[in-house]
């Protein structure tokens, strides 16, 4: 069944701020086109690089925050990437827009069944127009939220070439002809901080202002942020004004209770990683050492932030003699949240009601296109309902102003 359903505009609703400003979404996603690595990876790596394959999908189960996936030539067709030992299929739950809620399953899907806006930049702009969205920042799918796919690869020479190929495609093809409406978001070679710094410089030189990173790199088997290993990366991002975007799940580990809990448990608790990461970064002293560094918690929501800040401030005040705070934080943790960090939400009425504590300058908005949580094509209506009663200036900041400042965009300048 095709996902190309009739286009719908969000309905107008009364509010206290007038017409909703055009949205700048700081968290959307792209399905990589089948030609990406054939076109952008140097030819000498083609035999060892990712290959697009369309074949049947076999058993696909979600158990305890991990997928069990098999191919089956006689099964329903799906589009895959084959890369080293990895077999990566696209599934309906990550290519969900245009399907009904009951159709957003773990079944495989081909690009022919997807809405073209998932992988075609010109069609994406049309879907953004339908949804009252002016600009969009898109996370990768096959490379995963911060490039874990290439970090886990055995052949790091090819992996580095894949990182660069993905970034070249992102900057030049996905975003290149969009008039700035598609905002480049790059990945880095996570396995080598010096290579990561070089990739930041290479892309900042061509105007890129956003990079993916893991919310908890230690979960990926990488050095933790407490070691100082990542300081050169943080330093170059601060110097070149590149925002570090950490998506939920970018640690390849989702919060869970029982090991056999259904996926609904992880989906309900996904904000926990953002909360843990925020405490980790603040108490590691990263914002204190890099006061102009910008950290964005993509799809982390925000209703949890008031208590998290209250508790961290209490620990800073009451537990500093034994809890490892030391002299790393001359200011309260809440100070560093407001100085360095941005929350991102799509549905969070409790968070909106807590803006006086969170801070109206630290909140951004998203549509999560094309995932199950996406509000497309009704994002305008949902935003108006969430923000009803707020003043015009606050709405502007949430819907676009804070994103412009966070990502150094040229809109409205």
């Amino acid at each position: 069944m095709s996902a190309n359903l009739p286009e719908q505009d969000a309905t107008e609703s009364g509010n206290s701020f007038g017409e909703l400003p055009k949205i700048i979404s700081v968290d959307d996603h792209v399905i990589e086109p089948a030609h990406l690595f054939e076109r952008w990876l140097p030819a000498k790596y083609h035999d060892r690089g990712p290959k697009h394959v369309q074949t049947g999908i076999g058993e696909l189960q979600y158990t305890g925050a991990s997928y069990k996936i098999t191919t089956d030539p006689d099964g329903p067709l799906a589009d895959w990437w084959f890369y080293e030992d990895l077999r990566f299929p696209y599934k309906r739950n990550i290519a969900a827009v245009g399907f009904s809620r009951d159709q957003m399953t773990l079944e495989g899907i081909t690009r022919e069944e997807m809405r073209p806006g998932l992988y075609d930049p010109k069609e994406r702009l049309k879907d953004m127009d339908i949804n009252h969205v002016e600009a969009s920042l898109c996370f990768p799918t096959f490379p995963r939220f911060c490039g874990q796919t290439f970090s886990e690869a055995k052949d790091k020479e090819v992996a580095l070439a894949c990182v660069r190929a993905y970034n070249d495609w992102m900057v030049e093809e996905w975003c290149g002809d969009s008039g700035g409406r598609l905002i480049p978001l790059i990945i880095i070679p996570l396995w080598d901080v010096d290579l990561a710094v070089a990739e930041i410089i290479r892309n900042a030189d061509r105007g890129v202002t956003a990079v993916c990173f893991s919310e908890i790199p230690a979960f990926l088997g990488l050095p933790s942020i407490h070691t100082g290993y990542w300081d050169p990366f943080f330093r170059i991002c601060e110097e070149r004004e590149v925002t570090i975007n950490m998506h939920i799940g970018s640690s390849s580990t989702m919060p869970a209770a029982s090991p056999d809990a259904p996926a609904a448990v992880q989906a309900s608790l996904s904000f926990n990683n953002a909360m843990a990461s925020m405490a980790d970064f603040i108490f590691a002293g990263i914002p204190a050492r890099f006061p102009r560094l910008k950290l964005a918690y993509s799809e982390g929501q925000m209703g949890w932030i008031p208590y998290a800040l209250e508790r961290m401030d209490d620990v800073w005040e009451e537990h500093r003699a034994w809890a490892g705070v030391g002299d790393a934080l001359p200011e309260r943790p809440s100070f560093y949240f407001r100085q360095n960090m941005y929350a991102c939400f799509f549905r969070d009425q409790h968070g909106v009601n807590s803006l006086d504590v969170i801070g109206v300058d630290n909140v951004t908005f998203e549509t999560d296109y094309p995932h199950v949580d996406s509000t497309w094509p009704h994002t305008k209506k949902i935003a108006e309902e969430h923000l009803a009663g707020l003043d015009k200036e606050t709405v502007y900041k949430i819907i676009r102003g804070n994103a412009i400042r966070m990502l150094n965009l040229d809109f409205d300048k």
Side-chain angles (χ1 to χ4, degrees):
M1 177 178 178
S2 172
N4 302 324
L5 300 185
E7 299 175 350
Q8 305 175 55
D9 284 307
T11 58
E12 299 291 337
S13 61
N15 57 64
S16 60
F17 49 80
E19 175 67 13
L20 187 79
K22 281 292 185 75
I23 295 163
I24 296 180
S25 174
V26 300
D27 173 33
D28 295 316
H29 302 265
V30 62
I31 297 295
E32 295 79 17
H35 67 255
L36 192 159
F37 295 102
E38 182 179 353
R39 181 175 299 176
W40 292 96
L41 188 66
K44 65 180 180 178
Y45 298 121
H46 281 183
D47 288 346
R48 293 180 286 162
K51 296 176 178 61
H52 163 253
V53 176
Q54 190 172 88
T55 189
I57 196 164
E59 184 179 5
L60 179 63
Q61 297 178 342
Y62 185 90
T63 305
S66 64
Y67 289 103
K68 181 179 179 181
I69 305 168
T70 60
T71 59
D72 180 355
D74 297 322
L77 278 181
D79 278 358
W80 302 68
W81 290 105
F82 285 13
Y83 175 49
E84 294 189 341
D85 296 330
L86 176 65
R87 300 293 180 263
F88 182 98
Y90 290 117
K91 305 177 295 296
R92 282 194 183 189
N93 65 324
I94 60 173
V97 294
F99 290 106
S100 71
R101 289 294 171 191
D102 290 335
Q103 294 173 319
M104 297 178 184
T105 66
L106 294 177
E107 295 175 64
I109 189 172
T110 65
R111 288 179 182 82
E112 288 79 11
E113 296 173 295
M114 298 176 191
R115 193 171 177 86
L118 276 68
Y119 53 85
D120 182 320
K122 292 180 180 176
E123 294 298 319
R124 175 63 65 94
L125 294 176
K126 294 178 184 178
D127 281 355
M128 290 161 58
D129 289 338
I130 293 169
N131 206 31
H132 198 69
V133 174
E134 182 167 12
S136 169
L137 186 76
C138 291
F139 282 83
T141 302
F142 165 63
R144 312 218 304 274
F145 290 144
C146 65
Q148 302 102 300
T149 293
F150 302 121
S151 181
E152 294 169 1
K154 298 179 182 71
D155 188 331
K156 288 300 191 288
E157 179 186 359
V158 176
L160 178 60
C162 287
V163 167
R164 291 172 174 165
Y166 178 88
N167 291 339
D168 290 343
W169 165 80
M170 166 61 63
V171 174
E172 299 181 34
E173 182 177 326
W174 179 252
C175 301
D177 294 329
S178 69
R181 295 185 63 191
L182 295 172
I183 305 162
L185 177 61
I186 63 165
I187 57 177
I188 56 171
L190 290 164
W191 61 92
D192 187 313
V193 71
D194 293 330
L195 292 175
V197 168
E199 192 63 9
I200 291 294
I201 294 170
R202 184 175 82 93
N203 286 281
D205 283 347
R206 52 180 173 177
V208 173
T209 62
V211 61
C212 303
F213 191 61
S214 175
E215 59 202 352
I216 309 173
F219 282 2
L220 301 178
L222 299 168
S224 87
I225 59 170
H226 298 271
T227 63
Y229 175 83
W230 296 103
D231 282 9
F233 169 68
F234 298 142
R235 185 174 298 110
I236 195 63
C237 288
E238 180 185 49
E239 290 175 359
R240 301 303 295 267
E241 298 185 86
V242 175
T243 300
I244 297 175
N245 299 266
M246 296 175 286
H247 198 283
I248 55 168
S250 56
S251 60
S252 297
T253 303
M254 294 298 283
S258 304
D260 55 350
V265 174
Q266 284 83 39
S268 300
L269 299 177
S270 59
F271 71 91
N272 278 352
N273 277 0
M275 183 165 57
S277 177
M278 181 179 292
D280 214 26
F281 269 83
I282 289 175
F283 284 114
I286 304 303
R289 296 202 304 278
F290 304 100
R292 294 181 292 107
L293 184 66
K294 290 181 282 189
L295 303 169
Y297 283 99
S298 308
E299 204 174 321
Q301 310 303 327
M302 61 180 180
W304 51 270
I305 291 176
Y307 175 70
L309 294 180
E310 179 183 334
R311 179 58 182 165
M312 283 190 280
D313 282 354
D314 282 347
V315 169
W316 180 86
E317 183 69 42
E318 306 294 343
H319 299 256
R320 56 190 302 119
W322 71 273
V325 177
D327 298 323
L329 270 68
E331 303 287 348
R332 290 175 175 272
S334 56
F335 171 87
Y336 297 107
F337 168 75
R338 295 190 177 91
Q339 173 183 269
N340 296 82
M341 297 180 172
Y342 294 84
C344 172
F345 80 102
F346 53 85
R347 285 191 190 93
D348 190 341
Q349 191 63 62
H350 180 67
V352 172
N353 295 342
S354 304
L355 282 173
D356 59 329
V357 179
I358 298 169
V360 297
D361 295 320
N362 298 84
V363 175
T364 58
F365 195 65
E366 64 164 291
T367 80
D368 197 31
Y369 180 109
H371 285 183
V372 170
D373 268 323
S374 178
T375 53
W376 186 93
H378 305 295
T379 304
K380 181 181 180 184
K381 177 176 182 293
I382 290 169
E384 288 174 333
E385 291 171 352
H386 267 65
L387 305 180
L390 298 181
D391 63 86
K392 185 175 182 179
E393 180 181 1
T394 298
V395 171
Y396 174 84
K397 287 181 176 182
I398 293 171
I399 292 298
R400 62 185 289 117
N402 291 339
I404 290 171
R405 179 166 51 87
M406 181 180 90
L407 297 169
N408 294 325
L409 302 178
D410 291 330
F411 294 97
D412 300 343
K413 292 182 179 179

